[in-house]
Amino acid sequence: MRPLAWVGIASLCLGAAWAVPAKEGSRKVEKPKLDLALYENLDLDNYDLTLDSYGDVVDLSNYEELYDYGDIAPKIEVGTLAPRPKDPEALPKVGATAPTPKLQPPTSSPVRPAQGLPSCLRCLCIGTSVYCDDADLEHVPLLPPDTTYLYARFNRISAIRAGDFTGLKKLKRIDLTSNSISWADADAFRLLPSLQELILPENRLTALPELPRSIVRLDARLNRIPSTGLQPEAFRDLKQLQFLHLSDNQLDYVPTPLPESLRSLHLQVRHVPSLTANCHRGGCRAPCTSESRFPLCLPFQNNNIQTMHKDTFCDSQDHSHIRRALEDIRLDGNPINLSLFPNAYFCLPRLPTGRFA
C-alpha cells in the first residue's frame, strides 16, 4: 500500500506542476482586447483593486486616446506675482471677504460757463492763439486755458463780464476791435497777470475798467469815453504802460498823472463825422466813420480839450526833470491853442502835435 501511496502523491504533484503553466498560457492566448465601452459604466466603488488585477483594469498605453483634450480650458499665463508681505498682519485672513473698492468720480479741471459752442469749434485755434474775427459772436467765447492771444474783431459782443477771462493767466493780448461793447466789468481785465495789450477801438464804451499793472498798450479809440469815465489817477501805477491811445472819445482834459514809462499819447480828433453820411447799425441813424469795416455810429461830440495844466507833463517845481520817453503826443483836432501853455512842455524831447496859433 505504501508504494501505491507514494505513486499517487507523485502523480498529484506532477499534475499540479503541469497545470500552472497551462493556465498562464491560456491567459495569454485568450486575453481579449480592452473594450472602451465597458469602462464608461464601470463601477469602481465595489471593485477591489489589487496589484494583481491593476494591469487588467487600466491600460496606461492608451491613456492619451481615452482623454478628450478638446474640453480643456485654455491655458492661463500668470505674470510676476507680488512678493509675499513680511508683516503677518498684512496677510489676508482666511474666510474674510475683501472690501469692495469705492469708485472715485473722475477728476477734471473746472470749466467756465460759456454761451454757445466752445471757441475752437466756432473760431480758429492755432497754437495758443484764438481767432474769432467776424464770427457773429454776441459774447466772449469759452477760451482754452493756455490762450495767449485772442482776436475777436468785427462781432456783436455788447458787454465784457467779470468771468469772461477767469483763469487765463497766460493771456497777453485781447483784440475786440469793431464790436458793440458798451460796458465792461471793473474786474474783467484787472486780474489778468500777463495782459500787455488791450485793443478796444470802435466800440461804445462810456467808461474804462480797471487795468492790470502789466499793461503796455491800451487802444480805446473811437468810443464814447468822457473824462468822468476815467477813474481818478487811473494810469499812475501802470509802470509798464507805453502806448495810451484815446483819440476820438469825449475827453475834455488830458488825463493825469501819466507814468514815466509812457512813450505815446494820442488824444486827437481824427474822425469828424459827416452830416451827410449815416449808418444803420443796430437801428442807429447818426454820423459814422468812413474807415471802419462795419460803420460805427458815433456821438455828435468828440474830444474837446481846451486847456492844459502846467504840470500835465512836467514837474513845474523841478526844471531839471526831463521825460525822454514821451516823444509822441497828439492833440490835433482839439480846440486847444498849445502856444498858450509853453511851460507845460519844457521837459519833453518834442512838442505836442496840434494847433499853435
Side-chain angles (χ1 to χ4, degrees):
M1 294 296 294
R2 288 185 179 180
L4 291 175
W6 283 109
V7 172
I9 294 172
S11 62
L12 289 174
C13 291
L14 290 175
W18 283 101
V20 172
K23 184 178 181 180
E24 292 179 358
S26 63
R27 287 182 60 187
K28 292 182 180 179
V29 174
E30 297 176 359
K31 181 180 179 181
K33 293 185 179 180
L34 292 175
D35 188 0
L36 300 181
L38 295 175
Y39 288 97
E40 294 179 357
N41 300 320
L42 184 62
D43 185 8
L44 296 179
D45 292 337
N46 299 323
Y47 188 82
D48 187 11
L49 186 63
T50 63
L51 291 179
D52 294 335
S53 61
Y54 183 79
D56 298 336
V57 176
V58 180
D59 185 3
L60 297 179
S61 63
N62 294 330
Y63 182 75
E64 294 184 359
E65 297 179 4
L66 296 175
Y67 200 92
D68 186 7
Y69 286 91
D71 296 334
I72 299 179
K75 184 179 180 180
I76 300 176
E77 296 183 1
V78 180
T80 304
L81 298 177
R84 187 178 182 86
K86 297 180 180 180
D87 187 5
E89 296 183 357
L91 294 174
K93 297 181 179 180
V94 179
T97 57
T100 304
K102 295 182 179 180
L103 297 178
Q104 299 294 334
T107 58
S108 59
S109 57
V111 178
R112 298 181 294 109
Q115 296 288 338
L117 297 174
S119 60
C120 287
L121 295 179
R122 301 192 63 178
C123 308
L124 176 63
C125 295
I126 302 178
T128 58
S129 299
V130 179
Y131 298 89
C132 299
D133 292 346
D134 200 6
D136 201 29
L137 298 177
E138 296 183 358
H139 304 277
V140 175
L142 177 66
L143 299 172
D146 60 345
T147 299
T148 305
Y149 302 100
L150 169 65
Y151 300 89
R153 301 167 290 192
F154 316 117
N155 286 287
R156 295 186 293 118
I157 300 173
S158 59
I160 305 297
R161 300 164 298 182
D164 284 342
F165 302 105
T166 299
L168 301 179
K169 298 182 179 180
K170 299 181 181 180
L171 192 58
K172 293 182 178 180
R173 179 188 299 166
I174 299 175
D175 191 342
L176 297 171
T177 301
S178 291
N179 277 274
S180 302
I181 302 172
S182 59
W183 173 81
D185 190 275
D187 291 333
F189 308 108
R190 183 177 62 87
L191 302 178
L192 298 176
S194 302
L195 187 63
Q196 298 179 3
E197 298 182 73
L198 181 57
I199 317 300
L200 299 170
E202 300 186 39
N203 279 284
R204 302 177 183 178
L205 286 170
T206 57
L208 274 183
E210 295 185 36
L211 302 172
R213 297 192 177 187
S214 59
I215 198 73
V216 175
R217 178 188 176 191
L218 172 64
D219 187 349
R221 298 173 289 116
L222 289 162
N223 277 276
R224 304 175 182 179
I225 304 172
S227 293
T228 56
L230 301 178
Q231 297 182 10
E233 301 185 350
F235 307 109
R236 174 192 290 274
D237 296 329
L238 304 182
K239 304 301 183 181
Q240 300 185 51
L241 182 63
Q242 299 182 29
F243 304 93
L244 178 58
H245 294 171
L246 296 172
S247 58
D248 298 298
N249 276 280
Q250 300 178 19
L251 302 176
D252 51 21
Y253 61 83
V254 178
T256 57
L258 297 170
E260 290 288 331
S261 58
L262 195 64
R263 297 172 54 189
S264 177
L265 175 65
H266 287 187
L267 300 172
Q268 74 271 33
V269 179
R270 295 188 302 174
H271 296 280
V272 179
S274 172
L275 296 179
T276 59
N278 291 285
C279 59
H280 303 272
R281 187 178 182 184
C284 170
R285 292 185 60 85
C288 60
T289 65
S290 58
E291 296 183 5
S292 303
R293 179 175 177 183
F294 296 103
L296 175 68
C297 297
L298 294 175
F300 285 98
Q301 67 182 91
N302 219 311
N303 282 349
N304 189 32
I305 299 174
Q306 300 182 27
T307 187
M308 186 180 300
H309 194 271
K310 61 181 180 180
D311 290 328
T312 297
F313 301 112
C314 305
D315 184 358
S316 59
Q317 304 298 322
D318 184 6
H319 289 273
S320 64
H321 174 233
I322 299 177
R323 297 190 63 152
R324 300 187 182 276
L326 188 53
E327 297 183 346
D328 179 25
I329 300 176
R330 297 287 303 274
L331 290 167
D332 45 304
N334 285 275
I336 185 173
N337 185 351
L338 295 176
S339 62
L340 301 177
F341 310 95
N343 293 331
Y345 323 126
F346 71 86
C347 67
L348 300 179
R350 289 189 177 88
L351 292 175
T353 302
R355 183 170 65 90
F356 283 89

